[in-house]
Each structure stands twice: as C-alpha cells, then as structure tokens.
Amino acid sequence: MKFDVLTIFPEMVSASLREGILGRAVKRGIVEVRLVNIRSFARGAHRTTDDRPYGGGDGMVMRPGPISLALKSIDRVKGRSPVILLSPQGERFDQKIAWELSNRDQIILICGRYEGVDERIRLTCIERELSIGDYVLTGGELAALVVMDAVSRLIQGVLGGERSNLEDSFEDGLLEYPQYTRPKVFQGQEVPPVLLSGDHEKIRLWRRTESLRRTLERRPDLLPQARLTPEDRSILARLKRKFRNTIDVEV
C-alpha cells in the first residue's frame, strides 16, 4: 500500500509515522507513505499557497496551482489511484470505506487548510471527499492520519494476529465485547469466571452476548444494519426485555 499525502505541514504527518503500528508497518516496508509538500510547488519568494477569496469574506483559500502541480508530480501505480480530499463536507469515513480503500495499491490524500481548496480543484482533480466526523479541524493532516491508520491495519501483515481486525468494533456492525488481562483481580473487580473456564464455546457465547449487550446499550442505531444470526436475534430478544423501558429497537 502506498499513501501519497499532499500537505503544507509535512512534519505534522511524519512525526506520527515514527511510532505505533503504522510506524512499524512503514519500517517493515508493508506500507509506504510519501509526503508531498504543496509549498514546494508554489511560486514567488514566499511560496504562498493561499489567497483571499473572490467575493470577500473571512479566511483564506488554498490556491489551485500548487495543488495541481503537486498532484502531477506523483508517480501513479498501475490502475486507478483515488485522489481523496479530507474535508468536513465529505462522506463520513467508516469501517466499510476503510475496507474498500485497503484493496487499493495507492491512495492520494490532500490535506485542506484554511477555508478549504479552490472549487476548481474539487471539480477537476478530486474523486472523493472524506470526513472523519461532523466537526471542523484546522487542517486535514489529522484526518489523513486517521484514514491511513484505519486502512493500514486491515492490510495483511500489519497486525500481529490474523483475526485481530476481524473482531474489532463495527466489523459485523456491532461493538466489540469487553477485554480483560492480568491481574485476575484489580481494585476488587474480578475477571468474569467464564473467561478462565477454558470452555471455548461458553467463552464464544459470552463474548457474543456482551457484544450485543454493549451495542444495545451504547449504539442501538447500529443494530438494524448489523449482520445478525438467528442466535444473535434470540440473544437480543432476551436482552431487549431487560431494556424495554428505556430502549426501543427492532431486533
């Protein structure tokens, strides 16, 4: 997987590539991140990448020329490499999109700044816009890191366990079950006995029940689209009876 990140603050991104799972994936050569400084393609002594908006108003707008030249400088791999703008106006980034992008060989991410990019860049260069939530950041660098982290961990070899990313929250439309490790007792709270039983079927059933319980309590909006088995629906019906006075959700 190759990520090309267009930004005027490459240091913001490079600092995060030295640590964690994404950093290790880069060091091992599983993931390649190439930082393209948009300012290097700006003209003039000050390498200005923004200007005042036509029509007036507060803030500045990123000029189209430097972004266009930066895009042209990127070596494209065979096949189509999506050009993605990180923007609060984009579609909401989620696990489904992360899986979709993980099948690409190359992803090009443009980090917007200020009031955004010139509309002509959107119309001629951008194939997709992504937002990581309904709030506004000062720039797209943090959003680009979120996308790279979420996508990279789905690539074979990045995580240690083969099934680690398949048991995460949202993979089947549900939140993940609670996790425990040593010590067995912490501040008076014990690990659930079933997890110490060695009975794999009981553990599986407990984990599935807790996953459904946690989703019902915290994110019932996920349940109508979740991939549920007949066993899941039976468990949910039982759980719903306990919450019938506070939660109303179809199961």
Side-chain angles (χ1 to χ4, degrees):
M1 169 66 75
K2 299 179 186 296
F3 293 101
D4 290 275
V5 184
L6 280 65
T7 171
I8 62 172
F9 294 114
E11 296 82 5
M12 287 186 63
V13 181
S14 62
S16 296
L17 298 178
R18 294 192 289 267
E19 306 291 342
I21 289 176
L22 181 56
R24 291 198 295 271
V26 170
K27 291 176 184 176
R28 293 164 59 194
I30 302 174
V31 173
E32 180 181 355
V33 180
R34 297 177 291 195
L35 302 178
V36 181
N37 192 339
I38 298 173
R39 202 177 298 280
S40 300
F41 298 89
R43 295 186 173 91
H46 300 291
R47 300 282 185 179
T48 303
T49 59
D50 58 286
D51 210 332
R52 295 187 180 280
Y54 280 120
D58 295 331
M60 305 291 277
V61 177
M62 294 188 73
R63 297 169 60 188
I67 298 176
S68 177
L69 291 172
L71 282 170
K72 291 177 182 178
S73 75
I74 295 173
D75 292 328
R76 307 289 181 98
V77 300
K78 291 183 179 180
R80 201 166 177 213
S81 303
V83 179
I84 297 172
L85 174 67
L86 285 313
S87 164
Q89 298 182 21
E91 61 183 306
R92 181 79 67 88
F93 180 67
D94 59 16
Q95 194 71 1
K96 180 180 178 181
I97 295 176
W99 272 110
E100 178 187 339
L101 293 178
S102 72
N103 293 316
R104 301 286 192 142
D105 294 321
Q106 180 185 32
I107 299 171
I108 300 169
L109 301 170
I110 300 178
C111 302
R113 277 269 155 182
Y114 314 119
E115 295 301 311
V117 304
D118 187 289
E119 185 67 14
R120 290 163 292 186
I121 287 293
R122 294 181 189 268
L123 296 175
T124 60
C125 302
I126 305 300
E127 298 175 31
R128 193 170 194 173
E129 294 183 51
L130 291 179
S131 167
I132 62 169
D134 294 340
Y135 47 87
V136 179
L137 300 171
T138 54
E141 286 77 14
L142 293 176
L145 285 167
V146 167
V147 171
M148 287 192 291
D149 189 281
V151 172
S152 294
R153 64 192 308 282
L154 303 179
I155 298 170
Q156 185 175 5
V158 171
L159 297 181
E162 293 183 4
R163 293 188 54 83
S164 293
N165 55 30
L166 299 180
E167 296 178 352
D168 290 330
S169 293
F170 305 111
E171 279 306 321
D172 55 4
L174 302 175
L175 301 183
E176 190 179 10
Y177 50 80
Q179 297 279 12
Y180 294 87
T181 188
R182 292 180 178 85
K184 188 167 69 172
V185 180
F186 177 70
Q187 294 183 353
Q189 299 187 54
E190 296 188 17
V191 173
V194 65
L195 298 179
L196 308 174
S197 68
D199 189 321
H200 297 298
E201 175 58 22
K202 287 183 179 179
I203 292 172
R204 181 201 67 79
L205 183 59
W206 180 89
R207 285 176 168 171
R208 193 61 177 177
T209 300
E210 291 304 307
S211 176
L212 291 162
R213 184 197 311 277
R214 182 160 287 188
T215 306
L216 184 62
E217 289 176 343
R218 301 183 182 185
R219 290 293 304 277
D221 58 295
L222 296 175
L223 290 172
Q225 287 78 41
R227 297 189 296 273
L228 302 177
T229 66
E231 179 187 63
D232 293 335
R233 296 183 183 280
S234 176
I235 294 171
L236 267 176
R238 187 171 67 251
L239 291 172
K240 187 185 177 184
R241 285 194 289 271
K242 297 181 180 180
F243 297 104
R244 62 182 179 273
N245 295 327
T246 57
I247 296 178
D248 185 19
V249 61
E250 284 190 26
V251 297

PDB file of all heavy atoms in Angstrom, residues 130-152:
ATOM      1  N   LEU A 130     -13.670  12.832   1.981  1.00  0.00           N
ATOM      2  CA  LEU A 130     -13.951  12.083   3.194  1.00  0.00           C
ATOM      3  C   LEU A 130     -13.890  13.000   4.408  1.00  0.00           C
ATOM      4  O   LEU A 130     -13.040  13.888   4.491  1.00  0.00           O
ATOM      5  CB  LEU A 130     -12.941  10.943   3.378  1.00  0.00           C
ATOM      6  CG  LEU A 130     -13.008   9.776   2.393  1.00  0.00           C
ATOM      7  CD1 LEU A 130     -11.927   8.759   2.716  1.00  0.00           C
ATOM      8  CD2 LEU A 130     -14.377   9.113   2.401  1.00  0.00           C
ATOM      9  N   SER A 131     -14.797  12.757   5.336  1.00  0.00           N
ATOM     10  CA  SER A 131     -14.831  13.468   6.608  1.00  0.00           C
ATOM     11  C   SER A 131     -14.739  12.442   7.729  1.00  0.00           C
ATOM     12  O   SER A 131     -15.352  11.372   7.645  1.00  0.00           O
ATOM     13  CB  SER A 131     -16.128  14.267   6.743  1.00  0.00           C
ATOM     14  OG  SER A 131     -16.310  14.723   8.073  1.00  0.00           O
ATOM     15  N   ILE A 132     -13.992  12.750   8.785  1.00  0.00           N
ATOM     16  CA  ILE A 132     -13.908  11.815   9.908  1.00  0.00           C
ATOM     17  C   ILE A 132     -14.911  12.148  10.999  1.00  0.00           C
ATOM     18  O   ILE A 132     -14.927  11.506  12.045  1.00  0.00           O
ATOM     19  CB  ILE A 132     -12.479  11.757  10.486  1.00  0.00           C
ATOM     20  CG1 ILE A 132     -12.041  13.120  11.029  1.00  0.00           C
ATOM     21  CG2 ILE A 132     -11.496  11.238   9.448  1.00  0.00           C
ATOM     22  CD1 ILE A 132     -10.764  13.063  11.850  1.00  0.00           C
ATOM     23  N   GLY A 133     -15.773  13.142  10.773  1.00  0.00           N
ATOM     24  CA  GLY A 133     -16.794  13.464  11.759  1.00  0.00           C
ATOM     25  C   GLY A 133     -17.396  14.828  11.516  1.00  0.00           C
ATOM     26  O   GLY A 133     -16.876  15.624  10.730  1.00  0.00           O
ATOM     27  N   ASP A 134     -18.488  15.085  12.176  1.00  0.00           N
ATOM     28  CA  ASP A 134     -19.204  16.347  11.997  1.00  0.00           C
ATOM     29  C   ASP A 134     -18.633  17.437  12.898  1.00  0.00           C
ATOM     30  O   ASP A 134     -19.280  17.908  13.839  1.00  0.00           O
ATOM     31  CB  ASP A 134     -20.698  16.153  12.273  1.00  0.00           C
ATOM     32  CG  ASP A 134     -21.351  15.248  11.246  1.00  0.00           C
ATOM     33  OD1 ASP A 134     -20.788  15.091  10.147  1.00  0.00           O
ATOM     34  OD2 ASP A 134     -22.422  14.690  11.550  1.00  0.00           O
ATOM     35  N   TYR A 135     -17.402  17.798  12.619  1.00  0.00           N
ATOM     36  CA  TYR A 135     -16.727  18.891  13.306  1.00  0.00           C
ATOM     37  C   TYR A 135     -15.643  19.402  12.367  1.00  0.00           C
ATOM     38  O   TYR A 135     -15.337  18.770  11.355  1.00  0.00           O
ATOM     39  CB  TYR A 135     -16.123  18.437  14.645  1.00  0.00           C
ATOM     40  CG  TYR A 135     -15.348  17.148  14.554  1.00  0.00           C
ATOM     41  CD1 TYR A 135     -13.992  17.147  14.199  1.00  0.00           C
ATOM     42  CD2 TYR A 135     -15.955  15.917  14.817  1.00  0.00           C
ATOM     43  CE1 TYR A 135     -13.285  15.970  14.101  1.00  0.00           C
ATOM     44  CE2 TYR A 135     -15.254  14.742  14.717  1.00  0.00           C
ATOM     45  CZ  TYR A 135     -13.917  14.767  14.358  1.00  0.00           C
ATOM     46  OH  TYR A 135     -13.218  13.596  14.263  1.00  0.00           O
ATOM     47  N   VAL A 136     -15.076  20.544  12.688  1.00  0.00           N
ATOM     48  CA  VAL A 136     -14.109  21.172  11.785  1.00  0.00           C
ATOM     49  C   VAL A 136     -12.739  21.228  12.459  1.00  0.00           C
ATOM     50  O   VAL A 136     -12.612  21.707  13.597  1.00  0.00           O
ATOM     51  CB  VAL A 136     -14.559  22.601  11.396  1.00  0.00           C
ATOM     52  CG1 VAL A 136     -13.519  23.252  10.475  1.00  0.00           C
ATOM     53  CG2 VAL A 136     -15.921  22.552  10.698  1.00  0.00           C
ATOM     54  N   LEU A 137     -11.723  20.722  11.768  1.00  0.00           N
ATOM     55  CA  LEU A 137     -10.340  20.800  12.226  1.00  0.00           C
ATOM     56  C   LEU A 137      -9.649  21.973  11.549  1.00  0.00           C
ATOM     57  O   LEU A 137     -10.155  22.526  10.568  1.00  0.00           O
ATOM     58  CB  LEU A 137      -9.600  19.505  11.887  1.00  0.00           C
ATOM     59  CG  LEU A 137     -10.162  18.214  12.491  1.00  0.00           C
ATOM     60  CD1 LEU A 137      -9.467  17.008  11.884  1.00  0.00           C
ATOM     61  CD2 LEU A 137     -10.006  18.216  13.997  1.00  0.00           C
ATOM     62  N   THR A 138      -8.479  22.336  12.045  1.00  0.00           N
ATOM     63  CA  THR A 138      -7.734  23.421  11.400  1.00  0.00           C
ATOM     64  C   THR A 138      -7.092  22.969  10.101  1.00  0.00           C
ATOM     65  O   THR A 138      -6.665  23.802   9.295  1.00  0.00           O
ATOM     66  CB  THR A 138      -6.642  23.970  12.333  1.00  0.00           C
ATOM     67  OG1 THR A 138      -5.814  22.890  12.766  1.00  0.00           O
ATOM     68  CG2 THR A 138      -7.266  24.640  13.551  1.00  0.00           C
ATOM     69  N   GLY A 139      -7.018  21.680   9.869  1.00  0.00           N
ATOM     70  CA  GLY A 139      -6.454  21.171   8.627  1.00  0.00           C
ATOM     71  C   GLY A 139      -6.719  19.692   8.481  1.00  0.00           C
ATOM     72  O   GLY A 139      -7.175  19.023   9.421  1.00  0.00           O
ATOM     73  N   GLY A 140      -6.400  19.155   7.316  1.00  0.00           N
ATOM     74  CA  GLY A 140      -6.708  17.762   7.023  1.00  0.00           C
ATOM     75  C   GLY A 140      -5.654  16.761   7.441  1.00  0.00           C
ATOM     76  O   GLY A 140      -5.828  15.555   7.232  1.00  0.00           O
ATOM     77  N   GLU A 141      -4.548  17.220   8.046  1.00  0.00           N
ATOM     78  CA  GLU A 141      -3.466  16.305   8.384  1.00  0.00           C
ATOM     79  C   GLU A 141      -3.888  15.244   9.397  1.00  0.00           C
ATOM     80  O   GLU A 141      -3.576  14.056   9.236  1.00  0.00           O
ATOM     81  CB  GLU A 141      -2.263  17.095   8.913  1.00  0.00           C
ATOM     82  CG  GLU A 141      -1.484  17.850   7.859  1.00  0.00           C
ATOM     83  CD  GLU A 141      -2.161  19.137   7.401  1.00  0.00           C
ATOM     84  OE1 GLU A 141      -3.111  19.590   8.096  1.00  0.00           O
ATOM     85  OE2 GLU A 141      -1.756  19.683   6.361  1.00  0.00           O
ATOM     86  N   LEU A 142      -4.588  15.656  10.450  1.00  0.00           N
ATOM     87  CA  LEU A 142      -5.041  14.680  11.440  1.00  0.00           C
ATOM     88  C   LEU A 142      -6.028  13.694  10.824  1.00  0.00           C
ATOM     89  O   LEU A 142      -6.003  12.501  11.129  1.00  0.00           O
ATOM     90  CB  LEU A 142      -5.672  15.393  12.639  1.00  0.00           C
ATOM     91  CG  LEU A 142      -4.713  16.225  13.502  1.00  0.00           C
ATOM     92  CD1 LEU A 142      -5.489  16.951  14.593  1.00  0.00           C
ATOM     93  CD2 LEU A 142      -3.636  15.355  14.115  1.00  0.00           C
ATOM     94  N   ALA A 143      -6.897  14.197   9.961  1.00  0.00           N
ATOM     95  CA  ALA A 143      -7.857  13.320   9.284  1.00  0.00           C
ATOM     96  C   ALA A 143      -7.135  12.329   8.379  1.00  0.00           C
ATOM     97  O   ALA A 143      -7.513  11.152   8.296  1.00  0.00           O
ATOM     98  CB  ALA A 143      -8.851  14.157   8.482  1.00  0.00           C
ATOM     99  N   ALA A 144      -6.086  12.776   7.687  1.00  0.00           N
ATOM    100  CA  ALA A 144      -5.314  11.890   6.822  1.00  0.00           C
ATOM    101  C   ALA A 144      -4.666  10.775   7.640  1.00  0.00           C
ATOM    102  O   ALA A 144      -4.636   9.610   7.222  1.00  0.00           O
ATOM    103  CB  ALA A 144      -4.250  12.683   6.064  1.00  0.00           C
ATOM    104  N   LEU A 145      -4.161  11.114   8.818  1.00  0.00           N
ATOM    105  CA  LEU A 145      -3.565  10.106   9.690  1.00  0.00           C
ATOM    106  C   LEU A 145      -4.605   9.088  10.155  1.00  0.00           C
ATOM    107  O   LEU A 145      -4.321   7.891  10.246  1.00  0.00           O
ATOM    108  CB  LEU A 145      -2.903  10.782  10.892  1.00  0.00           C
ATOM    109  CG  LEU A 145      -1.575  11.477  10.610  1.00  0.00           C
ATOM    110  CD1 LEU A 145      -1.180  12.376  11.786  1.00  0.00           C
ATOM    111  CD2 LEU A 145      -0.477  10.452  10.345  1.00  0.00           C
ATOM    112  N   VAL A 146      -5.809   9.561  10.447  1.00  0.00           N
ATOM    113  CA  VAL A 146      -6.890   8.648  10.845  1.00  0.00           C
ATOM    114  C   VAL A 146      -7.188   7.662   9.718  1.00  0.00           C
ATOM    115  O   VAL A 146      -7.298   6.452   9.937  1.00  0.00           O
ATOM    116  CB  VAL A 146      -8.160   9.444  11.218  1.00  0.00           C
ATOM    117  CG1 VAL A 146      -9.366   8.519  11.324  1.00  0.00           C
ATOM    118  CG2 VAL A 146      -7.957  10.192  12.521  1.00  0.00           C
ATOM    119  N   VAL A 147      -7.312   8.166   8.508  1.00  0.00           N
ATOM    120  CA  VAL A 147      -7.602   7.296   7.365  1.00  0.00           C
ATOM    121  C   VAL A 147      -6.471   6.297   7.148  1.00  0.00           C
ATOM    122  O   VAL A 147      -6.714   5.090   6.964  1.00  0.00           O
ATOM    123  CB  VAL A 147      -7.838   8.143   6.097  1.00  0.00           C
ATOM    124  CG1 VAL A 147      -7.923   7.245   4.855  1.00  0.00           C
ATOM    125  CG2 VAL A 147      -9.108   8.969   6.232  1.00  0.00           C
ATOM    126  N   MET A 148      -5.226   6.769   7.180  1.00  0.00           N
ATOM    127  CA  MET A 148      -4.090   5.869   6.962  1.00  0.00           C
ATOM    128  C   MET A 148      -4.009   4.801   8.040  1.00  0.00           C
ATOM    129  O   MET A 148      -3.729   3.629   7.757  1.00  0.00           O
ATOM    130  CB  MET A 148      -2.793   6.663   6.895  1.00  0.00           C
ATOM    131  CG  MET A 148      -2.625   7.456   5.617  1.00  0.00           C
ATOM    132  SD  MET A 148      -0.945   8.098   5.396  1.00  0.00           S
ATOM    133  CE  MET A 148      -0.887   9.329   6.715  1.00  0.00           C
ATOM    134  N   ASP A 149      -4.259   5.173   9.283  1.00  0.00           N
ATOM    135  CA  ASP A 149      -4.201   4.216  10.383  1.00  0.00           C
ATOM    136  C   ASP A 149      -5.288   3.156  10.233  1.00  0.00           C
ATOM    137  O   ASP A 149      -5.032   1.955  10.358  1.00  0.00           O
ATOM    138  CB  ASP A 149      -4.349   4.957  11.710  1.00  0.00           C
ATOM    139  CG  ASP A 149      -4.081   4.059  12.907  1.00  0.00           C
ATOM    140  OD1 ASP A 149      -4.979   3.284  13.281  1.00  0.00           O
ATOM    141  OD2 ASP A 149      -2.977   4.128  13.458  1.00  0.00           O
ATOM    142  N   ALA A 150      -6.517   3.599   9.967  1.00  0.00           N
ATOM    143  CA  ALA A 150      -7.646   2.666   9.854  1.00  0.00           C
ATOM    144  C   ALA A 150      -7.484   1.724   8.665  1.00  0.00           C
ATOM    145  O   ALA A 150      -7.814   0.538   8.749  1.00  0.00           O
ATOM    146  CB  ALA A 150      -8.957   3.446   9.733  1.00  0.00           C
ATOM    147  N   VAL A 151      -6.964   2.236   7.547  1.00  0.00           N
ATOM    148  CA  VAL A 151      -6.794   1.417   6.351  1.00  0.00           C
ATOM    149  C   VAL A 151      -5.608   0.474   6.505  1.00  0.00           C
ATOM    150  O   VAL A 151      -5.686  -0.716   6.166  1.00  0.00           O
ATOM    151  CB  VAL A 151      -6.616   2.312   5.104  1.00  0.00           C
ATOM    152  CG1 VAL A 151      -6.236   1.469   3.886  1.00  0.00           C
ATOM    153  CG2 VAL A 151      -7.895   3.089   4.822  1.00  0.00           C
ATOM    154  N   SER A 152      -4.499   0.970   7.040  1.00  0.00           N
ATOM    155  CA  SER A 152      -3.275   0.169   7.131  1.00  0.00           C
ATOM    156  C   SER A 152      -3.459  -1.072   7.985  1.00  0.00           C
ATOM    157  O   SER A 152      -2.941  -2.150   7.668  1.00  0.00           O
ATOM    158  CB  SER A 152      -2.133   1.018   7.700  1.00  0.00           C
ATOM    159  OG  SER A 152      -1.786   2.050   6.820  1.00  0.00           O
TER     160      SER A 152
END
